[in-house]
């Protein structure tokens, strides 16, 4: 049994490994978790002592097989809880991240099983993030790209968005941009605004930081 904090670090390392590839730098972990470098260094040492990560000084860390399994279990709990809160307790999608963060460490495997069954074993959460299966196999590779990597004239479908910023999620929901939404990219301004057209014909200008949090795929690939 590992502490909540250890599980939070393992989850963060898994997400960063998925996005950037291993090894993950301690500075990246500190930025992601909003912790000081000395705090991260101390926890990295503890995780290595428990054989949950491999740590090479000055290069970064990588999850061991056991560390990855623990991370996947916490991520499965988190994303199932987010889905349950939205579908059965009428939470908005911008409200569920912190609730799931608080609960993910403390549910039993029986509770997890019943939640998954009540939801008909979903494959993705409300933000489009894949939910690890009950066997906790690694999540398959991500074929999506950031919205900012496309060009004006491209037609894309939103696959998922980051769940870590409530204000961004509220902004996107009000703009009509959620997983499954088809967008046309119409302009990328020199100062960073990204303009898209939603299915109802409205133009939405997104700050680059928000556009980068949106993962999409081309329409033809989404249909295929």
């Amino acid at each position: 049994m590992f502490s909540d904090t250890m599980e939070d670090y393992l989850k963060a390392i898994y997400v960063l490994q998925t996005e950037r590839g291993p090894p993950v730098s301690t500075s990246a972990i500190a930025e992601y978790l909003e912790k000081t470098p000395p705090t991260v260094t101390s926890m990295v040492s503890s995780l290595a002592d428990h054989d949950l990560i491999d740590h090479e000084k000055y290069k970064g860390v990588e999850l061991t097989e056991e560390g990855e399994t623990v991370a996947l279990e916490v991520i499965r709990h988190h994303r199932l809880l987010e889905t349950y809160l939205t579908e059965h307790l009428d939470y908005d999608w911008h409200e569920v991240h912190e609730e799931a963060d608080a609960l993910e460490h403390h549910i039993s495997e029986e509770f997890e099983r019943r939640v998954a069954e009540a939801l008909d074993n979903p494959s993705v959460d409300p933000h489009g993030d894949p939910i690890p299966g009950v066997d906790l196999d690694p999540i398959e590779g991500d074929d999506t790209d950031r919205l900012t990597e496309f060009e004006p004239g491209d037609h894309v479908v939103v696959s998922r968005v980051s769940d870590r910023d409530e204000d961004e999620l509220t902004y996107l929901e009000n703009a009509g941009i959620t997983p499954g939404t088809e967008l046309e990219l119409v302009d990328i301004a020199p100062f960073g605004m990204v303009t898209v057209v939603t299915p109802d014909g409205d133009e939405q200008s997104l700050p680059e930081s928000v556009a980068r949090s949106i993962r999409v795929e081309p329409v033809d690939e989404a249909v295929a």
Side-chain angles (χ1 to χ4, degrees), residues 183-218:
L183 303 173
E184 179 186 358
L185 184 60
V186 296
D187 186 51
I188 301 177
F191 50 86
M193 295 297 286
V194 177
T195 302
V196 298
V197 175
T198 60
D200 58 10
D202 287 343
E203 282 196 2
Q204 300 289 342
S205 292
L206 309 172
E208 183 180 14
S209 61
V210 175
R212 283 181 55 79
S213 75
I214 303 171
R215 306 289 301 198
V216 301
E217 56 184 328

Side-chain angles (χ1 to χ4, degrees), residues 128 141-147 149-150 157-160 214-218 221:
D142 184 5
D143 295 328
T144 64
D145 294 296
R146 298 183 189 277
L147 178 60
E149 296 174 22
F150 288 82
V157 174
V158 176
S159 297
R160 57 191 178 90
I214 303 171
R215 306 289 301 198
V216 301
E217 56 184 328
E221 292 184 14

